[in-house]
Amino acid sequence: MATNAPAIRQKIRFSVAEQNRLYQWLLQAGPLLGYSLIKRTTQCRKGGCKCTQGEPHGPFWYLSARVNEKTVYRYLKQSDEEAIAPLCKQYKSFQRHLSELRRQQSQILALCARLRKELLKAGERQWNNRIGRRGS
């Protein structure tokens, strides 16, 4: 009876290679800024201001992040947006790669568990064949 072990091993090798590629990307990542860069409009609510008639001020650049389960916004000067944007983008990319790495690790563990089952079955078959030959 054939075993699926060679196919499972090949999948593990592929997943480990992908995992190594992800590690390399993460290790080479540069500075990060753990915020999202967003544009928001504001209302000052001063009597007679255009914002009270539905014409808000802005849009203005803000950095947004979750802190203690609350969204926090930090005003960002427009002149700083160009320098900050790549750091925020790099953070999002880092997070995606980290998430993919976790997925790969989980997949490798699941494949190893399948390989273990297949190898146990193969060992049982081999053992049973030996016992059967001795009894003849």
Side-chain angles (χ1 to χ4, degrees), residues 1 6 9 24 32 36 39 41 60 66 72 92 96 116 118 126 129 132 134 136:
M1 194 179 243
R9 283 186 176 115
Q24 288 305 313
L32 309 171
S36 295
K39 278 187 177 182
T41 57
F60 301 109
R66 296 284 292 172
V72 176
K92 285 185 181 192
R96 278 193 305 274
R116 179 178 173 268
E118 286 295 318
Q126 189 176 8
N129 289 341
R134 282 191 200 156
S136 304

Side-chain angles (χ1 to χ4, degrees), residues 12-30:
I12 291 171
R13 284 186 196 99
F14 177 80
S15 293
V16 167
E18 179 61 17
Q19 182 182 44
N20 287 336
R21 184 191 67 77
L22 291 165
Y23 276 127
Q24 288 305 313
W25 190 96
L26 291 169
L27 291 172
Q28 294 174 8

Side-chain angles (χ1 to χ4, degrees), residues 112-130:
C112 287
R114 282 179 50 201
L115 179 61
R116 179 178 173 268
K117 272 186 179 179
E118 286 295 318
L119 295 175
L120 284 169
K121 284 182 200 175
E124 285 291 323
R125 284 191 299 270
Q126 189 176 8
W127 180 250
N128 288 335
N129 289 341
R130 266 195 175 166

Side-chain angles (χ1 to χ4, degrees), residues 98-120:
L98 194 56
S99 177
E100 178 61 20
L101 179 61
R102 286 186 188 112
R103 192 187 69 73
Q104 283 292 334
Q105 288 173 331
S106 177
Q107 183 178 3
I108 289 169
L109 290 173
L111 286 167
C112 287
R114 282 179 50 201
L115 179 61
R116 179 178 173 268
K117 272 186 179 179
E118 286 295 318
L119 295 175
L120 284 169

Side-chain angles (χ1 to χ4, degrees), residues 61-121:
W61 286 106
Y62 285 85
L63 295 172
S64 169
R66 296 284 292 172
V67 178
N68 297 329
E69 299 182 25
K70 292 183 180 180
T71 303
V72 176
Y73 298 99
R74 291 179 57 190
Y75 174 75
L76 182 66
K77 295 178 196 171
Q78 190 169 1
S79 59
D80 292 336
E81 184 271 332
E82 202 171 292
I84 298 292
L87 300 175
C88 294
K89 186 177 180 182
Q90 180 78 349
Y91 175 76
K92 285 185 181 192
S93 187
F94 191 94
Q95 290 297 96
R96 278 193 305 274
H97 281 79
L98 194 56
S99 177
E100 178 61 20
L101 179 61
R102 286 186 188 112
R103 192 187 69 73
Q104 283 292 334
Q105 288 173 331
S106 177
Q107 183 178 3
I108 289 169
L109 290 173
L111 286 167
C112 287
R114 282 179 50 201
L115 179 61
R116 179 178 173 268
K117 272 186 179 179
E118 286 295 318
L119 295 175
L120 284 169
K121 284 182 200 175

